[in-house]
Structures are given as C-alpha cells and as structure tokens.
Amino acid sequence: MKFSLLLLVFIILVSGCDRKQPPKSVDPDLEYDSIPVYDVNSSFTPYAYDKFKSVLDQSRLQIYKDKGDTADSNNLTVEPGEFANKKFPQFYADGEGNLHFSITKIVNTYKVRSELKEQPATWSTADTEGHYWVATLKCLKPKLGVNSYTWMQIHGRPDGFNYPLLRLFWERDRQNLYDHLWAVIIISDPYTPKVYEYVDLGARPSSYFTAEVHIKNNIMDIIINRELKRSVNVTYWENEQNYYKAGVYINRYGDGGTVSAIFKELHFYNQSSDVVSVHH
C-alpha cells in the first residue's frame, strides 16, 4: 500500500514538472511565405486593370539577371506603351487584381531584378511640385537563403551619380531586429565617399500595408501606414537627376532563392494634389 502511494506521488510530481517545461521554440527561419505559382492560364496582364495603366504608361519593365561582364540572354524589357498584352512569370496580375513581382537568384551569382523603372523624364529633389511614390503592397518572407531584398528605390541616372539615394528593403536580421522592413539613405554628397543611414521601418506586416515616399523642395519623407518614419533634407542631392523604381531586387552575391512582392496599388505621382496625405 505504501509503495502504491509513493508511486502515485512520484507520477504526480513528474507530470507537474513536465507541465512547467517551456514550449519548444521554433526556428523562425523555418517559417516563410509561399510564393504564388505563376500559371499562364489563370494569370492576367497587369495592363488589363485600369488602376495600373497610369504607372505602366510611365514605366519600363526590367527583368534582369546580371552575369557580371555580360547579361543573361533571357533578360527582357518592356517599354512604355508596350504593356497591353505582356505578362511573365516574374511580372503578372492575378484574378483579384494584384500585381505580382518575383525573381529567382542562384547562390553566388550576380544581382537580379524584376522592376518597373519610372520613364521617360527624370527629376530633381528640389522640384517645387514634388514627386511621390505611393503603394499598397505585401512583402513576402522568403525561404532561408535570401537574407535581404529591395522593393523600392530612388535611383540616379546612369550618366550621373548612378546610385540610389534611397532603397526600401526587407532584411532577415539587422541590428538584432528580425524580419523587419528598412530604409537605407545615402546622406553624403554625390561623388564623395558614401555614408549611409539605416532606418528601421518596423516589423514586416504579414498582410498588405501602405508605403509612400514624398520628395518636394528637397525634403524627403518616408511614410508607412500613414506614419512618418523619417524626414530628411536632401539638398545635397538636388543636382542629380532621379527616377522611382518598384518591384523586387536581390543584390547580395551569396544569397540564393526566390522573392516576391505583391501590389494592390502602385503610383508614381508628379503633383501633390494627387496625393491624399502630404507631410511637408
């Protein structure tokens, strides 16, 4: 009898200890978003949707794989006015009217991109009417192998200071912040050694969010979900000609995998009256 009681007490104590054990942690790198699979029969040309016609009429599409000295033979471009029947696995619309950008990079190869590049004119940060990048999008978290990708840029002309004043990007882990969105800004004068500022834009939303970049009178504002994240005086950049980009871009040589960003809305505006909230 005593043995039975002691055995019962032992079982209760052991069971109680088990219940107090912390749950097993899950490696966050094992959690990622599934990249939608392109199907030629169930996808649509983005130009079929009126809400994208304006931005496509102002853009050149670049689907690009850089092999260093020579470009991949599968690279392609679509010029403004040529989008009417164009769709690709890296650039298409789904049946709900969402614009998909995706690109796949092999590890230890050069940069790849699927991006819209604003055309035909370029502009100065000093322009008084301003220039505005406005979007509603979702950034998908890729499988382990890709540690960072860009989804928005302000870039200088190839015949000028051919670098991005601004990139908005996703990063797996930076400054002990996991799965966040970031901005990186060149804060030094062109043609001098580059100095960068990194701005945490917050944890990556798992669903759609709004993102805006406004430039007017040399003030650049970065806005996420209507919250002003950073305002910078970019007078040092006013002599450079720039354009907006949107899409996906992987530039780290050691990264490999597929990334995707999905846009519900995308606009390149050149008048402040077109933008609902202006933070200048």
Side-chain angles (χ1 to χ4, degrees):
M1 183 66 178
K2 289 182 179 179
F3 177 78
S4 298
L5 288 172
L6 288 173
L7 181 60
L8 179 60
V9 170
F10 176 76
I11 292 172
I12 292 171
L13 288 173
V14 171
S15 299
C17 290
D18 286 344
R19 284 197 298 269
K20 292 179 182 178
Q21 292 299 317
K24 292 183 179 179
S25 60
V26 177
D27 184 347
D29 283 337
L30 298 180
E31 299 178 337
Y32 54 87
D33 292 319
S34 297
I35 304 295
V37 177
Y38 173 77
D39 183 338
V40 68
N41 296 314
S42 61
S43 60
F44 301 86
T45 172
Y47 203 77
Y49 292 93
D50 289 343
K51 63 182 179 179
F52 294 126
K53 285 183 177 178
S54 177
V55 71
L56 295 177
D57 285 341
Q58 305 174 66
S59 298
R60 171 188 294 148
L61 174 67
Q62 293 182 310
I63 298 174
Y64 183 83
K65 298 179 181 180
D66 187 352
K67 287 188 174 179
D69 295 333
T70 60
D72 189 285
S73 61
N74 293 322
N75 291 342
L76 61 89
T77 61
V78 179
E79 300 292 340
E82 298 178 354
F83 281 91
N85 297 304
K86 298 294 176 36
K87 64 176 182 176
F88 310 96
Q90 305 89 344
F91 172 82
Y92 68 94
D94 61 31
E96 297 178 353
N98 301 314
L99 172 57
H100 292 243
F101 293 90
S102 66
I103 200 70
T104 299
K105 182 180 177 297
I106 299 172
V107 67
N108 295 335
T109 59
Y110 290 92
K111 57 195 175 185
V112 297
R113 72 181 79 239
S114 173
E115 292 181 308
L116 291 175
K117 173 181 176 181
E118 185 184 17
Q119 295 284 306
T122 54
W123 42 263
S124 166
T125 60
D127 289 352
T128 57
E129 188 57 37
H131 302 275
Y132 308 89
W133 189 101
V134 178
T136 301
L137 73 152
K138 176 164 58 176
C139 294
L140 301 188
K141 180 185 178 184
K143 289 182 180 180
L144 189 64
V146 177
N147 294 301
S148 179
Y149 69 88
T150 296
W151 43 274
M152 181 273 176
Q153 298 187 63
I154 295 174
H155 212 287
R157 285 173 55 93
D159 57 355
F161 192 61
N162 190 23
Y163 293 94
L165 168 64
L166 172 70
R167 284 193 303 114
L168 303 185
F169 64 100
W170 170 85
E171 185 144 7
R172 189 173 299 277
D173 195 352
R174 170 176 287 275
Q175 299 176 11
N176 294 319
L177 295 172
Y178 185 83
D179 194 12
H180 274 224
L181 302 179
W182 292 84
V184 58
I185 307 163
I186 296 179
I187 58 172
S188 51
D189 293 341
Y191 306 103
T192 65
K194 291 186 286 297
V195 179
Y196 297 97
E197 177 187 355
Y198 288 86
V199 180
D200 175 26
L201 302 179
R204 177 189 61 88
S206 59
S207 58
Y208 288 93
F209 64 95
T210 61
E212 302 177 41
V213 176
H214 302 175
I215 290 189
K216 181 180 180 181
N217 293 327
N218 280 323
I219 300 298
M220 181 174 70
D221 292 342
I222 303 168
I223 304 150
I224 302 293
N225 283 334
R226 305 300 184 190
E227 178 184 349
L228 181 62
K229 295 291 188 177
R230 186 73 173 94
S231 186
V232 185
N233 187 320
V234 291
T235 302
Y236 58 89
W237 203 269
E238 66 180 4
N239 292 325
E240 301 306 317
Q241 291 295 300
N242 310 277
Y243 54 86
Y244 282 126
K245 284 189 173 189
V248 288
Y249 167 54
I250 309 174
N251 66 337
R252 293 188 178 184
Y253 185 79
D255 279 11
T258 301
V259 301
S260 180
I262 306 172
F263 288 74
K264 279 188 177 295
E265 298 282 345
L266 177 61
H267 305 278
F268 301 153
Y269 291 132
N270 293 308
Q271 296 184 41
S272 58
S273 59
D274 290 329
V275 183
V276 174
S277 58
V278 178
H279 295 261
H280 300 283

